[in-house]
Amino acid sequence: MKGKMKFGLNIPTQLVFGAGELRNLSTLPLPGKKALIVISAGTSMKRLGYLDRLVEQLGKAGVESVVFDKILPNPIKSHVMEGTALCLAEKCDFVIGLGGGSSIDSAKAIAITAHMGGDFWDYVHGGTGGGKKVTGALPIVAIPTTAGTGTEIDLWGVVTNEETQEKMGFGSRHIFPTLAIVDPELMLSIPPALTAYQGFDAFFHAAEGYVGKAHTPISDLYALEAVRLLYKYLPVAVADGNNLWARTKVAWASTLAGMVESTSSCTGEHAMEHALSALHPELPHGAGLIALSGAYFKTFKNDSMKRYMKMAEKMTQHKAARPGDFLDALAIMKRECKVDNLKLSDWGVTMAEVDALADKTIATGSAMLDLDPRFLTRNEIADIFVETIRED
């Protein structure tokens, strides 16, 4: 209704952005004296020297640290609880997430349970979660080494309960990181396929937040700039991972998309992908989103026509004639990033799972489904899965 514009903005994270900025960590105000550093179970943080660089900077600042290095690409609740136990045993007073979204999301979850006590699933809303209110958390420092989730500057995280096969988002104003350092130098080593998967995750944070019901004038600004930057620079970063300028632009777009998540929200596409990777945790989140995107966004092309056209214009820098121009631009972007022929069957997804996927989407993703441009029926959700899997 005209004259009824209302929205809010509260992103309390101190953001430090720029190539080489991790080397300046010791000069920044830190929220404690002993940090739990949360990293993945892989070797890259140690092999590339990022962990040593962080520990050195903490030492210069007079901060002790302990490392928890078990996080999986799709983080799980049992590791959150194990990290919490280490945090408490070592009397850490803040948590640092170093790595991809999985490490930072896990740091956020550990920060909650280390402060609140109990089981992490007590604080998850939806599915089998306990739905308890989070009233505080340990301070968090986020240092992303990938450009995709934007979790360094939002109040959300995602963790899988491996016992119930539920991949659930969680959120609280208390898990906005106190400090985020986005250093594109840390992203130079990401291989092409992962660069694409992560970049498209950021793209869909922006696109979903722009077309969904939760959009605001502030989130629109962030979202349109993010899709413009990613359309232009993600293919460059995929083709030449050592191009620091392209990496910087993609990193900034990812952070902008995280700001979209703080001022708008993801929608049903993310709910559907969470169902996919809950059943197939080896499926990269971004790959699942890419596979779903054609069928998902086609479903709403007549429900959000002006917004589809506006995204197309930002992406191509040409006047759009129809909402399908966005779908065409998206297809071009996927092709240029060499992810236009993804096969979910490569990660074990089959047509026999369609009903289970549709049911799990509804059971665990209702909050995001409610924000789609219009409400999807169960049959429509199943049809999107069918079309996606048939593309194999």
Side-chain angles (χ1 to χ4, degrees):
M1 183 182 297
K2 291 183 178 179
K4 296 291 185 180
M5 181 187 294
K6 296 181 180 181
F7 63 92
L9 174 66
N10 178 33
I11 303 178
T13 302
Q14 179 185 357
L15 172 65
V16 177
F17 185 99
E21 285 297 331
L22 180 57
R23 295 184 180 88
N24 297 320
L25 175 68
S26 61
T27 67
L28 300 171
L30 296 171
K33 289 298 182 182
K34 188 170 185 179
L36 179 73
I37 302 173
V38 180
I39 62 174
S40 75
T43 63
S44 60
M45 294 303 101
K46 298 174 183 177
R47 175 173 49 83
L48 297 170
Y50 301 160
L51 177 60
D52 287 344
R53 194 180 307 175
L54 172 58
V55 171
E56 179 186 14
Q57 285 294 310
L58 291 172
K60 287 182 178 180
V63 173
E64 297 181 74
S65 58
V66 179
V67 177
F68 181 66
D69 61 355
K70 296 189 177 181
I71 304 305
L72 301 176
N74 278 306
I76 57 176
K77 189 196 80 166
S78 60
H79 286 160
V80 169
M81 297 311 301
E82 189 175 346
T84 298
L86 179 62
C87 185
L88 293 172
E90 292 288 342
K91 296 181 170 56
C92 297
D93 54 3
F94 72 108
V95 187
I96 299 176
L98 172 69
S102 58
S103 295
I104 299 173
D105 284 2
S106 297
K108 290 179 173 182
I110 291 167
I112 290 173
T113 49
H115 178 86
M116 297 291 298
D119 187 89
F120 171 69
W121 219 246
D122 295 341
Y123 306 102
V124 171
H125 292 253
T128 61
K132 289 185 178 179
K133 184 178 180 180
V134 175
T135 57
L138 294 184
I140 300 155
V141 174
I143 307 172
T145 62
T146 64
T149 68
T151 190
E152 69 272 8
I153 201 157
D154 70 32
L155 66 165
W156 306 107
V158 180
V159 168
T160 295
N161 185 331
E162 65 272 37
E163 297 171 358
T164 61
Q165 289 190 306
E166 293 173 295
K167 184 175 180 179
M168 299 288 295
F170 62 95
S172 166
R173 64 181 178 85
H174 298 288
I175 59 170
F176 270 113
T178 301
L179 171 67
I181 299 177
V182 181
D183 182 346
E185 282 188 1
L186 306 182
M187 304 168 188
L188 292 171
S189 61
I190 304 169
L194 291 180
T195 297
Y197 298 163
Q198 294 156 9
F200 270 99
D201 186 18
F203 181 88
F204 294 127
H205 290 159
E208 292 175 42
Y210 185 68
V211 302
K213 293 175 183 174
H215 69 82
T216 69
I218 289 289
S219 66
D220 287 352
L221 294 174
Y222 300 149
L224 289 173
E225 179 65 359
V227 300
R228 183 189 73 82
L229 289 171
L230 288 163
Y231 184 80
K232 183 175 181 178
Y233 289 104
L234 183 58
V236 180
V238 171
D240 179 9
N242 289 317
N243 186 322
L244 184 57
W245 183 243
R247 290 286 191 189
T248 299
K249 290 293 190 177
V250 170
W252 175 229
S254 176
T255 298
L256 281 171
M259 294 164 75
V260 174
E261 292 192 88
S262 293
T263 51
S264 180
S265 178
C266 290
T267 59
E269 184 189 24
H270 264 71
M272 296 178 73
E273 199 295 316
H274 287 176
L276 274 171
S277 51
L279 294 181
H280 298 276
E282 66 281 2
L283 172 66
H285 175 56
L289 290 170
I290 292 165
L292 286 163
S293 61
Y296 173 82
F297 280 100
K298 184 174 67 175
T299 301
F300 299 107
K301 71 175 184 177
N302 294 323
D303 301 293
S304 194
M305 296 174 67
K306 289 183 178 179
R307 287 185 169 262
Y308 272 44
M309 293 168 68
K310 188 67 174 179
M311 286 194 294
E313 289 173 356
K314 283 291 183 179
M315 292 164 72
T316 67
Q317 298 295 295
H318 295 296
K319 185 72 174 175
R322 56 190 181 88
D325 289 348
F326 167 70
L327 301 177
D328 293 343
L330 177 58
I332 291 169
M333 185 177 170
K334 288 192 281 189
R335 185 167 63 250
E336 290 183 345
C337 291
K338 297 180 172 56
V339 292
D340 52 321
N341 291 313
L342 289 182
K343 295 182 181 298
L344 288 179
S345 57
D346 289 344
W347 289 281
V349 182
T350 69
M351 288 290 291
E353 297 174 292
V354 166
D355 285 339
L357 288 167
D359 289 341
K360 189 170 287 291
T361 297
I362 294 168
T364 62
S366 59
M368 288 183 285
L369 290 168
D370 286 345
L371 297 175
D372 276 328
R374 64 172 173 80
F375 186 76
L376 291 176
T377 67
R378 185 196 178 280
N379 285 342
E380 286 178 307
I381 293 169
D383 286 344
I384 292 171
F385 280 120
V386 167
E387 185 173 344
T388 298
I389 298 169
R390 275 184 180 163
E391 288 179 354
D392 282 2

